[in-house]
Amino acid sequence: MKPTVKPAVKRPGFPVRLEPDAGTPSATKKVAGRAHPERDTGIFDFKKPTPTALPSGVGLDSKAVRARMVHKLAAQGIADAQVLAAMGQVERHRFVDSALVNQAYEDTSLPIGLGQTISKPNVVARMLCLLREGAASPQGKLGRVLEIGTGCGYQAAVLAHLAQEVYSIERLRGLHDKARENLRVFRLANVHLLFGDGMAGYARGAPYAAIIAAAGGEAIPPAWVEQLAIGGRLVAPMHVAGGAQALVVLDKTPQGVTQTVLEAVHFVPLKSGTS
Ligand code: SAH
């Protein structure tokens, strides 16, 4: 079955309402200091036993704990080596509150303030695998990617390893600022943080090879489909029959848009406007 895309319940406002400074996305600011903390080859030996201890302090042997998380993801069926390598590189503990650092590499979502959450690693990995299956170039990298719902910036950081350019938009000023702060240390020149209502997408970066949303609405906003390149793929949570939320994949082909509904998920709501 190939159902057509449902119109959004709340249509996004046009033109895109972005702050003046958001109109020209800036790469995360470069700072002096260590480049790419703990950057390594990104290659994991999945068979190698990894420690079970959690970090007792920020950054303390976090590479080994992350390798254990990656090991678990692989055991759960995440098979894309590039996604696993990216998840193994990004220091998730830098994105959560210091009180939650010990849980940073558990397969759980965690609060990031303002009622929002960082998605659990398994869901992040799953969505990135789906994006890459549908939209990666033969060289294996995604082109330009739009992320709706920057939150703390974690997924944007993982995406930075898998895509040429990442445009990530957040509607809550507090989280947009927090993400900028969190990402500073990673010096990811290809991540562009935007403050605005992601329901309208970000037309100036379009067309996108891939679009990924971290918040779920009643339908996929039409702007996202418009801004997706032909051959591109969109992965987002969306409400389905019975009030449940499911992961939805849209593929934009020269013949039209196909929609596939996958497993149930629990994401925060997609909201319009900014605050
Ligand atoms: N990828 C994030 C997950 C954040 S949770 C991470 O790694 O931390 C989802 C985020 O989507 C929340 O921060 C929420 O404020 C944001 N959001 C919800 N509706 C939005 C909209 N219309 N535009 C932009 N961001 C939105």
PDB file of all heavy atoms in Angstrom, residues 95 112-114 116-119 124 147-156 168-172 175 196-200 214-216 224 267-273, ligand 1:
ATOM      1  N   PHE A  95      26.237  15.584  26.907  1.00  0.00           N
ATOM      2  CA  PHE A  95      24.959  16.198  26.533  1.00  0.00           C
ATOM      3  C   PHE A  95      23.914  16.108  27.635  1.00  0.00           C
ATOM      4  O   PHE A  95      22.804  16.591  27.464  1.00  0.00           O
ATOM      5  CB  PHE A  95      24.425  15.540  25.252  1.00  0.00           C
ATOM      6  CG  PHE A  95      25.285  15.820  24.050  1.00  0.00           C
ATOM      7  CD1 PHE A  95      26.390  15.012  23.765  1.00  0.00           C
ATOM      8  CD2 PHE A  95      25.021  16.904  23.230  1.00  0.00           C
ATOM      9  CE1 PHE A  95      27.196  15.271  22.665  1.00  0.00           C
ATOM     10  CE2 PHE A  95      25.821  17.165  22.122  1.00  0.00           C
ATOM     11  CZ  PHE A  95      26.908  16.356  21.845  1.00  0.00           C
ATOM     12  N   ILE A 112      16.404  16.572  29.394  1.00  0.00           N
ATOM     13  CA  ILE A 112      17.426  17.559  29.010  1.00  0.00           C
ATOM     14  C   ILE A 112      16.969  18.977  29.354  1.00  0.00           C
ATOM     15  O   ILE A 112      17.559  19.959  28.916  1.00  0.00           O
ATOM     16  CB  ILE A 112      17.782  17.465  27.495  1.00  0.00           C
ATOM     17  CG1 ILE A 112      16.526  17.568  26.623  1.00  0.00           C
ATOM     18  CG2 ILE A 112      18.561  16.194  27.213  1.00  0.00           C
ATOM     19  CD1 ILE A 112      16.810  17.670  25.129  1.00  0.00           C
ATOM     20  N   GLY A 113      15.880  19.073  30.139  1.00  0.00           N
ATOM     21  CA  GLY A 113      15.355  20.384  30.524  1.00  0.00           C
ATOM     22  C   GLY A 113      14.194  20.792  29.641  1.00  0.00           C
ATOM     23  O   GLY A 113      13.991  20.245  28.548  1.00  0.00           O
ATOM     24  N   LEU A 114      13.416  21.764  30.159  1.00  0.00           N
ATOM     25  CA  LEU A 114      12.243  22.309  29.461  1.00  0.00           C
ATOM     26  C   LEU A 114      11.263  21.217  29.004  1.00  0.00           C
ATOM     27  O   LEU A 114      10.601  21.341  27.975  1.00  0.00           O
ATOM     28  CB  LEU A 114      12.680  23.171  28.266  1.00  0.00           C
ATOM     29  CG  LEU A 114      13.592  24.352  28.610  1.00  0.00           C
ATOM     30  CD1 LEU A 114      14.037  25.091  27.351  1.00  0.00           C
ATOM     31  CD2 LEU A 114      12.884  25.326  29.559  1.00  0.00           C
ATOM     32  N   GLN A 116      11.827  18.307  27.816  1.00  0.00           N
ATOM     33  CA  GLN A 116      12.225  17.530  26.633  1.00  0.00           C
ATOM     34  C   GLN A 116      13.205  16.423  27.036  1.00  0.00           C
ATOM     35  O   GLN A 116      13.719  16.411  28.144  1.00  0.00           O
ATOM     36  CB  GLN A 116      12.858  18.448  25.586  1.00  0.00           C
ATOM     37  CG  GLN A 116      12.015  19.659  25.242  1.00  0.00           C
ATOM     38  CD  GLN A 116      10.623  19.312  24.745  1.00  0.00           C
ATOM     39  OE1 GLN A 116      10.460  18.402  23.937  1.00  0.00           O
ATOM     40  NE2 GLN A 116       9.615  20.014  25.244  1.00  0.00           N
ATOM     41  N   THR A 117      13.444  15.508  26.107  1.00  0.00           N
ATOM     42  CA  THR A 117      14.335  14.382  26.410  1.00  0.00           C
ATOM     43  C   THR A 117      15.319  14.128  25.275  1.00  0.00           C
ATOM     44  O   THR A 117      15.036  14.422  24.112  1.00  0.00           O
ATOM     45  CB  THR A 117      13.526  13.068  26.607  1.00  0.00           C
ATOM     46  OG1 THR A 117      12.678  12.882  25.466  1.00  0.00           O
ATOM     47  CG2 THR A 117      12.685  13.112  27.870  1.00  0.00           C
ATOM     48  N   ILE A 118      16.468  13.574  25.645  1.00  0.00           N
ATOM     49  CA  ILE A 118      17.404  13.054  24.653  1.00  0.00           C
ATOM     50  C   ILE A 118      16.919  11.633  24.356  1.00  0.00           C
ATOM     51  O   ILE A 118      16.614  10.875  25.266  1.00  0.00           O
ATOM     52  CB  ILE A 118      18.855  13.089  25.194  1.00  0.00           C
ATOM     53  CG1 ILE A 118      19.856  12.523  24.186  1.00  0.00           C
ATOM     54  CG2 ILE A 118      19.012  12.358  26.507  1.00  0.00           C
ATOM     55  CD1 ILE A 118      21.335  12.689  24.631  1.00  0.00           C
ATOM     56  N   SER A 119      16.813  11.297  23.078  1.00  0.00           N
ATOM     57  CA  SER A 119      16.278   9.985  22.699  1.00  0.00           C
ATOM     58  C   SER A 119      17.225   8.880  23.126  1.00  0.00           C
ATOM     59  O   SER A 119      18.432   9.088  23.265  1.00  0.00           O
ATOM     60  CB  SER A 119      16.096   9.910  21.182  1.00  0.00           C
ATOM     61  OG  SER A 119      15.395  11.037  20.714  1.00  0.00           O
ATOM     62  N   VAL A 124      17.964   6.402  18.304  1.00  0.00           N
ATOM     63  CA  VAL A 124      18.806   7.269  17.472  1.00  0.00           C
ATOM     64  C   VAL A 124      19.481   6.425  16.388  1.00  0.00           C
ATOM     65  O   VAL A 124      19.426   6.751  15.186  1.00  0.00           O
ATOM     66  CB  VAL A 124      19.882   7.992  18.330  1.00  0.00           C
ATOM     67  CG1 VAL A 124      20.883   8.741  17.451  1.00  0.00           C
ATOM     68  CG2 VAL A 124      19.212   8.951  19.318  1.00  0.00           C
ATOM     69  N   GLU A 147      17.562  18.277  10.503  1.00  0.00           N
ATOM     70  CA  GLU A 147      17.054  17.650  11.727  1.00  0.00           C
ATOM     71  C   GLU A 147      16.067  18.608  12.387  1.00  0.00           C
ATOM     72  O   GLU A 147      16.408  19.766  12.617  1.00  0.00           O
ATOM     73  CB  GLU A 147      18.199  17.354  12.703  1.00  0.00           C
ATOM     74  CG  GLU A 147      17.691  16.766  14.011  1.00  0.00           C
ATOM     75  CD  GLU A 147      18.754  16.644  15.099  1.00  0.00           C
ATOM     76  OE1 GLU A 147      19.497  17.638  15.311  1.00  0.00           O
ATOM     77  OE2 GLU A 147      18.846  15.590  15.740  1.00  0.00           O
ATOM     78  N   ILE A 148      14.886  18.112  12.698  1.00  0.00           N
ATOM     79  CA  ILE A 148      13.915  18.940  13.405  1.00  0.00           C
ATOM     80  C   ILE A 148      13.907  18.499  14.864  1.00  0.00           C
ATOM     81  O   ILE A 148      13.625  17.327  15.164  1.00  0.00           O
ATOM     82  CB  ILE A 148      12.495  18.834  12.792  1.00  0.00           C
ATOM     83  CG1 ILE A 148      12.497  19.438  11.385  1.00  0.00           C
ATOM     84  CG2 ILE A 148      11.471  19.596  13.639  1.00  0.00           C
ATOM     85  CD1 ILE A 148      12.626  18.470  10.285  1.00  0.00           C
ATOM     86  N   GLY A 149      14.236  19.425  15.764  1.00  0.00           N
ATOM     87  CA  GLY A 149      14.317  19.112  17.186  1.00  0.00           C
ATOM     88  C   GLY A 149      15.751  18.861  17.618  1.00  0.00           C
ATOM     89  O   GLY A 149      16.151  17.724  17.878  1.00  0.00           O
ATOM     90  N   THR A 150      16.531  19.932  17.702  1.00  0.00           N
ATOM     91  CA  THR A 150      17.946  19.806  18.087  1.00  0.00           C
ATOM     92  C   THR A 150      18.081  19.253  19.499  1.00  0.00           C
ATOM     93  O   THR A 150      18.998  18.471  19.773  1.00  0.00           O
ATOM     94  CB  THR A 150      18.640  21.195  18.066  1.00  0.00           C
ATOM     95  OG1 THR A 150      18.322  21.861  16.856  1.00  0.00           O
ATOM     96  CG2 THR A 150      20.145  21.074  18.223  1.00  0.00           C
ATOM     97  N   GLY A 151      17.174  19.687  20.378  1.00  0.00           N
ATOM     98  CA  GLY A 151      17.270  19.286  21.786  1.00  0.00           C
ATOM     99  C   GLY A 151      18.624  19.654  22.354  1.00  0.00           C
ATOM    100  O   GLY A 151      19.077  20.797  22.237  1.00  0.00           O
ATOM    101  N   CYS A 152      19.307  18.692  22.912  1.00  0.00           N
ATOM    102  CA  CYS A 152      20.627  18.965  23.511  1.00  0.00           C
ATOM    103  C   CYS A 152      21.740  18.899  22.471  1.00  0.00           C
ATOM    104  O   CYS A 152      22.896  19.166  22.775  1.00  0.00           O
ATOM    105  CB  CYS A 152      20.896  17.965  24.630  1.00  0.00           C
ATOM    106  SG  CYS A 152      21.038  16.268  24.044  1.00  0.00           S
ATOM    107  N   GLY A 153      21.417  18.487  21.250  1.00  0.00           N
ATOM    108  CA  GLY A 153      22.416  18.480  20.185  1.00  0.00           C
ATOM    109  C   GLY A 153      23.094  17.132  19.966  1.00  0.00           C
ATOM    110  O   GLY A 153      23.936  16.998  19.074  1.00  0.00           O
ATOM    111  N   TYR A 154      22.710  16.138  20.753  1.00  0.00           N
ATOM    112  CA  TYR A 154      23.405  14.844  20.648  1.00  0.00           C
ATOM    113  C   TYR A 154      23.266  14.222  19.254  1.00  0.00           C
ATOM    114  O   TYR A 154      24.261  13.866  18.609  1.00  0.00           O
ATOM    115  CB  TYR A 154      22.892  13.863  21.714  1.00  0.00           C
ATOM    116  CG  TYR A 154      23.432  12.467  21.515  1.00  0.00           C
ATOM    117  CD1 TYR A 154      24.770  12.180  21.783  1.00  0.00           C
ATOM    118  CD2 TYR A 154      22.631  11.437  21.028  1.00  0.00           C
ATOM    119  CE1 TYR A 154      25.291  10.917  21.567  1.00  0.00           C
ATOM    120  CE2 TYR A 154      23.138  10.166  20.817  1.00  0.00           C
ATOM    121  CZ  TYR A 154      24.469   9.910  21.090  1.00  0.00           C
ATOM    122  OH  TYR A 154      24.982   8.663  20.863  1.00  0.00           O
ATOM    123  N   GLN A 155      22.039  14.099  18.798  1.00  0.00           N
ATOM    124  CA  GLN A 155      21.839  13.440  17.498  1.00  0.00           C
ATOM    125  C   GLN A 155      22.492  14.234  16.358  1.00  0.00           C
ATOM    126  O   GLN A 155      23.010  13.641  15.404  1.00  0.00           O
ATOM    127  CB  GLN A 155      20.348  13.247  17.233  1.00  0.00           C
ATOM    128  CG  GLN A 155      20.066  12.480  15.957  1.00  0.00           C
ATOM    129  CD  GLN A 155      18.610  12.100  15.837  1.00  0.00           C
ATOM    130  OE1 GLN A 155      18.202  11.025  16.235  1.00  0.00           O
ATOM    131  NE2 GLN A 155      17.817  13.008  15.288  1.00  0.00           N
ATOM    132  N   ALA A 156      22.484  15.552  16.495  1.00  0.00           N
ATOM    133  CA  ALA A 156      23.154  16.389  15.484  1.00  0.00           C
ATOM    134  C   ALA A 156      24.641  16.047  15.435  1.00  0.00           C
ATOM    135  O   ALA A 156      25.245  15.992  14.362  1.00  0.00           O
ATOM    136  CB  ALA A 156      22.945  17.865  15.797  1.00  0.00           C
ATOM    137  N   SER A 168      20.160  21.820  11.854  1.00  0.00           N
ATOM    138  CA  SER A 168      19.324  21.332  12.951  1.00  0.00           C
ATOM    139  C   SER A 168      18.564  22.493  13.557  1.00  0.00           C
ATOM    140  O   SER A 168      19.143  23.511  13.925  1.00  0.00           O
ATOM    141  CB  SER A 168      20.203  20.648  14.000  1.00  0.00           C
ATOM    142  OG  SER A 168      19.381  20.129  15.030  1.00  0.00           O
ATOM    143  N   ILE A 169      17.259  22.331  13.654  1.00  0.00           N
ATOM    144  CA  ILE A 169      16.406  23.441  14.092  1.00  0.00           C
ATOM    145  C   ILE A 169      15.680  23.097  15.391  1.00  0.00           C
ATOM    146  O   ILE A 169      15.223  21.966  15.569  1.00  0.00           O
ATOM    147  CB  ILE A 169      15.433  23.831  12.937  1.00  0.00           C
ATOM    148  CG1 ILE A 169      14.652  25.086  13.266  1.00  0.00           C
ATOM    149  CG2 ILE A 169      14.499  22.712  12.554  1.00  0.00           C
ATOM    150  CD1 ILE A 169      14.087  25.773  12.028  1.00  0.00           C
ATOM    151  N   GLU A 170      15.614  24.077  16.275  1.00  0.00           N
ATOM    152  CA  GLU A 170      14.980  23.881  17.589  1.00  0.00           C
ATOM    153  C   GLU A 170      14.058  25.063  17.871  1.00  0.00           C
ATOM    154  O   GLU A 170      14.426  26.210  17.624  1.00  0.00           O
ATOM    155  CB  GLU A 170      16.072  23.751  18.668  1.00  0.00           C
ATOM    156  CG  GLU A 170      15.590  23.731  20.098  1.00  0.00           C
ATOM    157  CD  GLU A 170      14.601  22.610  20.398  1.00  0.00           C
ATOM    158  OE1 GLU A 170      14.916  21.436  20.155  1.00  0.00           O
ATOM    159  OE2 GLU A 170      13.494  22.931  20.892  1.00  0.00           O
ATOM    160  N   ARG A 171      12.878  24.784  18.438  1.00  0.00           N
ATOM    161  CA  ARG A 171      11.907  25.854  18.704  1.00  0.00           C
ATOM    162  C   ARG A 171      12.032  26.462  20.099  1.00  0.00           C
ATOM    163  O   ARG A 171      11.422  27.485  20.376  1.00  0.00           O
ATOM    164  CB  ARG A 171      10.466  25.349  18.476  1.00  0.00           C
ATOM    165  CG  ARG A 171      10.025  24.251  19.420  1.00  0.00           C
ATOM    166  CD  ARG A 171       8.568  23.869  19.211  1.00  0.00           C
ATOM    167  NE  ARG A 171       7.652  24.890  19.669  1.00  0.00           N
ATOM    168  CZ  ARG A 171       7.262  25.036  20.932  1.00  0.00           C
ATOM    169  NH1 ARG A 171       7.700  24.207  21.875  1.00  0.00           N
ATOM    170  NH2 ARG A 171       6.424  25.995  21.257  1.00  0.00           N
ATOM    171  N   LEU A 172      12.790  25.822  20.986  1.00  0.00           N
ATOM    172  CA  LEU A 172      12.958  26.358  22.337  1.00  0.00           C
ATOM    173  C   LEU A 172      14.329  27.018  22.464  1.00  0.00           C
ATOM    174  O   LEU A 172      15.369  26.351  22.343  1.00  0.00           O
ATOM    175  CB  LEU A 172      12.810  25.251  23.386  1.00  0.00           C
ATOM    176  CG  LEU A 172      11.437  24.562  23.457  1.00  0.00           C
ATOM    177  CD1 LEU A 172      11.445  23.439  24.475  1.00  0.00           C
ATOM    178  CD2 LEU A 172      10.347  25.587  23.777  1.00  0.00           C
ATOM    179  N   LEU A 175      16.991  25.433  24.744  1.00  0.00           N
ATOM    180  CA  LEU A 175      17.676  24.225  24.258  1.00  0.00           C
ATOM    181  C   LEU A 175      18.592  24.541  23.079  1.00  0.00           C
ATOM    182  O   LEU A 175      19.667  23.952  22.952  1.00  0.00           O
ATOM    183  CB  LEU A 175      16.650  23.145  23.893  1.00  0.00           C
ATOM    184  CG  LEU A 175      16.014  22.452  25.105  1.00  0.00           C
ATOM    185  CD1 LEU A 175      14.938  21.464  24.670  1.00  0.00           C
ATOM    186  CD2 LEU A 175      17.064  21.737  25.954  1.00  0.00           C
ATOM    187  N   GLY A 196      14.078  28.236  15.456  1.00  0.00           N
ATOM    188  CA  GLY A 196      12.861  28.537  14.716  1.00  0.00           C
ATOM    189  C   GLY A 196      11.887  27.385  14.798  1.00  0.00           C
ATOM    190  O   GLY A 196      12.138  26.371  15.471  1.00  0.00           O
ATOM    191  N   ASP A 197      10.756  27.560  14.123  1.00  0.00           N
ATOM    192  CA  ASP A 197       9.738  26.517  14.104  1.00  0.00           C
ATOM    193  C   ASP A 197      10.046  25.540  12.969  1.00  0.00           C
ATOM    194  O   ASP A 197       9.869  25.859  11.799  1.00  0.00           O
ATOM    195  CB  ASP A 197       8.360  27.160  13.906  1.00  0.00           C
ATOM    196  CG  ASP A 197       7.241  26.123  13.893  1.00  0.00           C
ATOM    197  OD1 ASP A 197       7.541  24.910  13.986  1.00  0.00           O
ATOM    198  OD2 ASP A 197       6.067  26.530  13.790  1.00  0.00           O
ATOM    199  N   GLY A 198      10.472  24.365  13.349  1.00  0.00           N
ATOM    200  CA  GLY A 198      10.852  23.357  12.363  1.00  0.00           C
ATOM    201  C   GLY A 198       9.686  22.790  11.572  1.00  0.00           C
ATOM    202  O   GLY A 198       9.898  22.055  10.606  1.00  0.00           O
ATOM    203  N   MET A 199       8.449  23.126  11.957  1.00  0.00           N
ATOM    204  CA  MET A 199       7.302  22.655  11.162  1.00  0.00           C
ATOM    205  C   MET A 199       7.388  23.197   9.741  1.00  0.00           C
ATOM    206  O   MET A 199       6.849  22.608   8.811  1.00  0.00           O
ATOM    207  CB  MET A 199       5.981  23.134  11.786  1.00  0.00           C
ATOM    208  CG  MET A 199       5.733  22.576  13.154  1.00  0.00           C
ATOM    209  SD  MET A 199       4.532  21.277  13.293  1.00  0.00           S
ATOM    210  CE  MET A 199       3.028  21.935  12.745  1.00  0.00           C
ATOM    211  N   ALA A 200       8.041  24.344   9.606  1.00  0.00           N
ATOM    212  CA  ALA A 200       8.199  24.942   8.276  1.00  0.00           C
ATOM    213  C   ALA A 200       9.494  24.496   7.605  1.00  0.00           C
ATOM    214  O   ALA A 200       9.830  24.972   6.526  1.00  0.00           O
ATOM    215  CB  ALA A 200       8.165  26.466   8.389  1.00  0.00           C
ATOM    216  N   ALA A 214      12.785  14.605  15.570  1.00  0.00           N
ATOM    217  CA  ALA A 214      12.878  14.017  16.907  1.00  0.00           C
ATOM    218  C   ALA A 214      11.639  14.354  17.733  1.00  0.00           C
ATOM    219  O   ALA A 214      11.638  14.198  18.940  1.00  0.00           O
ATOM    220  CB  ALA A 214      14.136  14.511  17.613  1.00  0.00           C
ATOM    221  N   ALA A 215      10.590  14.830  17.055  1.00  0.00           N
ATOM    222  CA  ALA A 215       9.331  15.143  17.721  1.00  0.00           C
ATOM    223  C   ALA A 215       8.216  14.732  16.770  1.00  0.00           C
ATOM    224  O   ALA A 215       8.353  14.856  15.553  1.00  0.00           O
ATOM    225  CB  ALA A 215       9.260  16.636  18.035  1.00  0.00           C
ATOM    226  N   GLY A 216       7.117  14.234  17.345  1.00  0.00           N
ATOM    227  CA  GLY A 216       6.067  13.657  16.503  1.00  0.00           C
ATOM    228  C   GLY A 216       4.773  14.453  16.512  1.00  0.00           C
ATOM    229  O   GLY A 216       4.281  14.849  17.567  1.00  0.00           O
ATOM    230  N   TRP A 224       8.183  19.745   4.885  1.00  0.00           N
ATOM    231  CA  TRP A 224       9.277  18.770   4.941  1.00  0.00           C
ATOM    232  C   TRP A 224       9.343  17.986   3.634  1.00  0.00           C
ATOM    233  O   TRP A 224      10.424  17.738   3.107  1.00  0.00           O
ATOM    234  CB  TRP A 224       9.090  17.802   6.110  1.00  0.00           C
ATOM    235  CG  TRP A 224       9.076  18.446   7.461  1.00  0.00           C
ATOM    236  CD1 TRP A 224       9.224  19.783   7.745  1.00  0.00           C
ATOM    237  CD2 TRP A 224       8.908  17.782   8.718  1.00  0.00           C
ATOM    238  NE1 TRP A 224       9.142  19.977   9.092  1.00  0.00           N
ATOM    239  CE2 TRP A 224       8.949  18.788   9.719  1.00  0.00           C
ATOM    240  CE3 TRP A 224       8.713  16.454   9.101  1.00  0.00           C
ATOM    241  CZ2 TRP A 224       8.810  18.480  11.076  1.00  0.00           C
ATOM    242  CZ3 TRP A 224       8.575  16.149  10.443  1.00  0.00           C
ATOM    243  CH2 TRP A 224       8.626  17.156  11.422  1.00  0.00           C
ATOM    244  N   PHE A 267       7.939   9.670  21.205  1.00  0.00           N
ATOM    245  CA  PHE A 267       8.688  10.928  21.113  1.00  0.00           C
ATOM    246  C   PHE A 267       7.872  12.063  21.717  1.00  0.00           C
ATOM    247  O   PHE A 267       6.649  11.980  21.816  1.00  0.00           O
ATOM    248  CB  PHE A 267       8.992  11.265  19.645  1.00  0.00           C
ATOM    249  CG  PHE A 267      10.181  10.530  19.088  1.00  0.00           C
ATOM    250  CD1 PHE A 267      10.064   9.245  18.597  1.00  0.00           C
ATOM    251  CD2 PHE A 267      11.432  11.143  19.055  1.00  0.00           C
ATOM    252  CE1 PHE A 267      11.156   8.567  18.090  1.00  0.00           C
ATOM    253  CE2 PHE A 267      12.537  10.472  18.543  1.00  0.00           C
ATOM    254  CZ  PHE A 267      12.397   9.173  18.066  1.00  0.00           C
ATOM    255  N   VAL A 268       8.574  13.142  22.074  1.00  0.00           N
ATOM    256  CA  VAL A 268       7.882  14.337  22.563  1.00  0.00           C
ATOM    257  C   VAL A 268       7.086  14.931  21.399  1.00  0.00           C
ATOM    258  O   VAL A 268       7.404  14.686  20.235  1.00  0.00           O
ATOM    259  CB  VAL A 268       8.887  15.380  23.129  1.00  0.00           C
ATOM    260  CG1 VAL A 268       9.602  14.852  24.354  1.00  0.00           C
ATOM    261  CG2 VAL A 268       9.884  15.822  22.066  1.00  0.00           C
ATOM    262  N   PRO A 269       6.033  15.715  21.719  1.00  0.00           N
ATOM    263  CA  PRO A 269       5.204  16.252  20.632  1.00  0.00           C
ATOM    264  C   PRO A 269       5.881  17.329  19.784  1.00  0.00           C
ATOM    265  O   PRO A 269       6.681  18.113  20.307  1.00  0.00           O
ATOM    266  CB  PRO A 269       3.980  16.834  21.368  1.00  0.00           C
ATOM    267  CG  PRO A 269       4.346  16.925  22.796  1.00  0.00           C
ATOM    268  CD  PRO A 269       5.520  16.010  23.050  1.00  0.00           C
ATOM    269  N   LEU A 270       5.550  17.290  18.520  1.00  0.00           N
ATOM    270  CA  LEU A 270       5.968  18.341  17.590  1.00  0.00           C
ATOM    271  C   LEU A 270       5.028  19.522  17.833  1.00  0.00           C
ATOM    272  O   LEU A 270       3.808  19.356  17.760  1.00  0.00           O
ATOM    273  CB  LEU A 270       5.817  17.827  16.158  1.00  0.00           C
ATOM    274  CG  LEU A 270       6.200  18.756  15.021  1.00  0.00           C
ATOM    275  CD1 LEU A 270       7.711  18.960  14.971  1.00  0.00           C
ATOM    276  CD2 LEU A 270       5.709  18.181  13.680  1.00  0.00           C
ATOM    277  N   LYS A 271       5.593  20.677  18.152  1.00  0.00           N
ATOM    278  CA  LYS A 271       4.760  21.841  18.455  1.00  0.00           C
ATOM    279  C   LYS A 271       5.072  22.965  17.488  1.00  0.00           C
ATOM    280  O   LYS A 271       6.182  23.058  16.987  1.00  0.00           O
ATOM    281  CB  LYS A 271       5.010  22.315  19.880  1.00  0.00           C
ATOM    282  CG  LYS A 271       4.549  21.307  20.920  1.00  0.00           C
ATOM    283  CD  LYS A 271       4.637  21.895  22.311  1.00  0.00           C
ATOM    284  CE  LYS A 271       4.099  20.901  23.333  1.00  0.00           C
ATOM    285  NZ  LYS A 271       4.388  21.328  24.702  1.00  0.00           N
ATOM    286  N   SER A 272       4.087  23.837  17.265  1.00  0.00           N
ATOM    287  CA  SER A 272       4.356  24.959  16.353  1.00  0.00           C
ATOM    288  C   SER A 272       4.764  26.199  17.136  1.00  0.00           C
ATOM    289  O   SER A 272       4.509  26.294  18.337  1.00  0.00           O
ATOM    290  CB  SER A 272       3.136  25.232  15.475  1.00  0.00           C
ATOM    291  OG  SER A 272       2.034  25.469  16.284  1.00  0.00           O
ATOM    292  N   GLY A 273       5.387  27.116  16.461  1.00  0.00           N
ATOM    293  CA  GLY A 273       5.832  28.356  17.089  1.00  0.00           C
ATOM    294  C   GLY A 273       7.135  28.171  17.841  1.00  0.00           C
ATOM    295  O   GLY A 273       7.685  27.071  17.894  1.00  0.00           O
TER     296      GLY A 273
HETATM  297  N1  SAH B   1      17.599  15.030  18.843  1.00  0.00           N
HETATM  298  C1  SAH B   1      17.432  15.547  20.171  1.00  0.00           C
HETATM  299  C2  SAH B   1      16.111  15.118  20.755  1.00  0.00           C
HETATM  300  C3  SAH B   1      15.403  16.263  21.383  1.00  0.00           C
HETATM  301  S1  SAH B   1      13.725  15.978  21.830  1.00  0.00           S
HETATM  302  C4  SAH B   1      18.608  15.185  21.037  1.00  0.00           C
HETATM  303  O1  SAH B   1      19.513  14.472  20.584  1.00  0.00           O
HETATM  304  O2  SAH B   1      18.662  15.651  22.178  1.00  0.00           O
HETATM  305  C5  SAH B   1      12.868  16.777  20.537  1.00  0.00           C
HETATM  306  C6  SAH B   1      13.035  18.255  20.411  1.00  0.00           C
HETATM  307  O3  SAH B   1      12.144  18.692  19.386  1.00  0.00           O
HETATM  308  C7  SAH B   1      12.693  19.081  21.639  1.00  0.00           C
HETATM  309  O4  SAH B   1      13.788  19.813  22.040  1.00  0.00           O
HETATM  310  C8  SAH B   1      11.558  19.995  21.167  1.00  0.00           C
HETATM  311  O5  SAH B   1      11.606  21.299  21.719  1.00  0.00           O
HETATM  312  C9  SAH B   1      11.797  20.023  19.675  1.00  0.00           C
HETATM  313  N2  SAH B   1      10.671  20.427  18.852  1.00  0.00           N
HETATM  314  C10 SAH B   1       9.352  20.117  18.968  1.00  0.00           C
HETATM  315  N3  SAH B   1       8.639  20.707  17.996  1.00  0.00           N
HETATM  316  C11 SAH B   1       9.525  21.427  17.232  1.00  0.00           C
HETATM  317  C12 SAH B   1       9.406  22.282  16.106  1.00  0.00           C
HETATM  318  N4  SAH B   1       8.234  22.547  15.521  1.00  0.00           N
HETATM  319  N5  SAH B   1      10.529  22.829  15.606  1.00  0.00           N
HETATM  320  C13 SAH B   1      11.746  22.611  16.159  1.00  0.00           C
HETATM  321  N6  SAH B   1      11.918  21.828  17.239  1.00  0.00           N
HETATM  322  C14 SAH B   1      10.820  21.237  17.779  1.00  0.00           C
END
